[in-house]
Amino acid sequence: MTVDPPPASRAGTDRTWHPWTPIQQRERLTLVSGRGCQVSDDQGRSYLDMRSGTLNATVGYSHPAVVEAMRTQASKLMTWDLAEVLTLPARDLADRIAGLLPAPLEYTLFCNGGSEATEAAVKIARMWHRIEGRPGRVVVMSFADGYHGATTAAIAATAAPFRREGVGPLPEGYAHLSTPRCTACADGTEHAECRIPGVEEWEAQILAVGADSVAAVLVEPILSVGGIIVPPPGQLAGLRALCDRYGILLIADEVATGLGRTGAMFGFEHDLGAAGTAPDIITTAKGLTGGYAPLAAVTVRADIYTAFARDPLLGGLRHGHTTGGHATACAVALAVLDVVEHEKLVAAAADRGTQLLDALAPLKQRRAVRDVRGRGLLIGVEMASMELAGIVARAAQDQGVLIRAFGSVLTVAPPLVISEEEAEHGARVLSDAIGAVTTGGAR
């Protein structure tokens, strides 16, 4: 295929390789500024961001407290490699994260992004089992439709062909559990009763792989890229019990769901918290810094951390990155957590999420809409096709509202600071866009 020369913009020719985007796509916004839940393009037009960038702009744009924290730390000490020294922001952030989590989750390794956090969590799980005398435990199991990052090993943790095709050979040691959603609903086929895979099926899949070869189960409390899939109540607690039965670590990928997004500080709290339990390892990113700086965290049980003193080659973790725990990024994260707590954004996410779900629920009556689902400010409107979802997202953009279309699902995930009026406006524009696209007229 012949590719046209890159388009010119006011600033010059665009030679950026845009990820997850067709090269032939020529029309795209050029964003230049933002404040609160609004972003503006180079033509001076403003948009209501109903997607938080990519689920990371949790406290909105240009928050003065966050900007000041970044400026202050960068002016003193931008960063230093944590393999060599300790910096105060990294120390304080690790302590802050421990205070937000149940007591067994205590020690944090910092990375640069969610994909790196997945890689680190997997390595930690496998190395821990080896240190404990179980070198055969190497397999990591995850939901077939889950998404845990774009690095090669993280891609091995999903069964989605869209992400796996052409990138092999993929690393060995990965297997998949059935996604907890009705396949007939996913296919849009008629059925009398939904069948959702659960603990019994997962146990059979673990046993088929060989329970004594499984190091960890890696899951999102709510599948994000996989379609905003909310497991039925009690299923994650059942998975936790299953892991305990067979000596398997449970890793919660909270990259999309953590830090208030679901109306709880962490997504696992809705299910595991109610059962009085928790994951063994948790990964966070995105909302950790509100999009102001790259940072991710892998937090583990205290006994997992202390076991690495017995690593025969180092007596510690043989893994890390030069800018993992970047001091300025950690200072930003501390400021973001202050905003989340002082502005009561976790409760706000629950309230605005209920408002949006109620406003969007009538869309389920339209033939072109398969479902409306979600928790807190992580909501999915599933359309009848990927093409239709893309058309709706573009129609909403034309009306000044940015919605993320991924596959057939429209993701509604605004910043946690969104006001009641902004949420009402965003829901109305999305509903009108669906109505106009699917019926040729207004809602």
Side-chain angles (χ1 to χ4, degrees):
M1 176 184 294
T2 301
V3 179
D4 296 332
S9 67
R10 288 182 176 181
T13 300
D14 181 12
R15 301 190 185 280
T16 307
W17 194 334
H18 297 274
W20 301 107
T21 307
I23 285 180
Q24 291 289 1
Q25 179 177 321
R26 290 297 179 218
E27 296 183 7
R28 68 178 80 249
L29 295 177
T30 300
L31 297 179
V32 296
S33 64
R35 183 168 295 277
C37 294
Q38 303 283 333
V39 292
S40 300
D41 66 15
D42 60 347
Q43 305 299 310
R45 187 178 183 192
S46 293
Y47 302 84
L48 174 62
D49 178 10
M50 291 289 285
R51 48 176 286 172
S52 296
T54 305
L55 279 77
N56 57 344
T58 51
V59 299
Y61 301 88
S62 303
H63 196 292
V66 181
V67 173
E68 178 59 22
M70 177 182 287
R71 186 201 66 79
T72 299
Q73 183 60 43
S75 69
K76 293 192 297 186
L77 177 72
M78 74 288 192
T79 196
W80 194 276
D81 182 356
L82 292 182
E84 303 292 336
V85 304
L86 177 66
T87 66
L88 296 180
R91 181 200 67 184
D92 293 346
L93 181 57
D95 187 62
R96 187 77 167 270
I97 291 171
L100 295 173
L101 288 163
L105 291 157
E106 188 173 347
Y107 288 89
T108 290
L109 171 76
F110 291 113
C111 311
N112 298 294
S115 299
E116 283 187 5
T118 294
E119 300 272 347
V122 167
K123 288 177 71 173
I124 288 169
R126 288 171 171 166
M127 293 169 79
W128 177 73
H129 279 294
R130 178 174 288 274
I131 290 169
E132 295 294 324
R134 299 180 292 270
R137 285 192 178 266
V138 296
V139 176
V140 173
M141 302 191 73
S142 51
F143 290 142
D145 293 304
Y147 177 72
H148 303 283
T151 52
T152 306
I155 289 298
T158 183
F162 178 73
R163 286 171 276 279
R164 293 170 64 97
E165 181 64 29
V167 302
L170 293 171
E172 299 178 351
Y174 292 84
H176 300 106
L177 303 171
S178 298
T179 302
R181 73 165 302 184
C182 173
T183 54
C185 289
D187 296 337
T189 56
E190 294 291 333
H191 57 290
E193 185 176 350
C194 287
R195 180 191 170 278
I196 301 176
V199 174
E200 290 185 5
E201 188 163 339
W202 297 336
E203 182 171 23
Q205 290 166 340
I206 289 172
L207 293 176
V209 171
D212 58 356
S213 70
V214 179
V217 169
L218 166 66
V219 294
E220 303 162 272
I222 297 175
L223 281 72
S224 56
V225 173
I228 317 300
I229 299 171
V230 184
Q235 279 207 338
L236 291 182
L239 183 58
R240 165 77 277 181
L242 195 60
C243 289
D244 290 341
R245 185 180 311 158
Y246 293 107
I248 298 168
L249 294 178
L250 179 62
I251 305 172
D253 180 341
E254 293 268 5
V255 168
T257 54
L259 290 310
R261 170 62 59 190
T262 67
M265 186 59 78
F266 298 97
F268 76 80
E269 294 178 29
H270 296 283
D271 199 320
L272 296 185
T277 186
D280 303 300
I281 300 173
I282 178 174
T283 63
T284 50
K286 292 190 183 292
L288 183 60
T289 58
Y292 287 84
L295 184 69
V298 182
T299 306
V300 306
R301 291 185 342 223
D303 64 297
I304 294 176
Y305 168 82
T306 56
F308 278 79
R310 292 183 275 114
D311 173 76
L313 298 180
L314 179 67
L317 178 62
R318 291 176 279 114
H319 179 82
H321 303 275
T322 300
T323 53
H326 191 281
T328 304
C330 288
V332 166
L334 287 164
V336 166
L337 290 174
D338 284 342
V339 172
V340 169
E341 293 182 350
H342 295 164
E343 298 186 15
K344 298 179 171 57
L345 295 185
V346 177
D351 291 342
R352 295 288 74 75
T354 298
Q355 177 191 354
L356 283 168
L357 279 170
D358 289 345
L360 297 172
L363 293 173
K364 288 191 282 188
Q365 305 305 315
R366 294 187 174 274
R367 292 184 60 186
V369 178
R370 290 183 182 168
D371 196 15
V372 176
R373 56 182 178 263
R375 177 172 281 154
L377 288 177
L378 185 57
I379 297 168
V381 178
E382 185 169 7
M383 305 301 296
S385 69
M386 178 175 67
E387 292 74 16
L388 189 55
I391 293 170
V392 170
R394 288 190 292 274
Q397 178 178 311
D398 290 341
Q399 297 304 312
V401 173
L402 302 181
I403 302 288
R404 188 185 193 204
F406 201 96
S408 62
V409 178
L410 297 161
T411 300
V412 180
L416 309 190
V417 295
I418 191 169
S419 68
E420 185 175 351
E421 294 74 22
E422 287 172 323
E424 179 182 358
H425 174 68
R428 182 172 63 252
V429 169
L430 177 57
S431 298
D432 287 345
I434 291 174
V437 166
T438 58
T439 65
R443 176 171 57 93

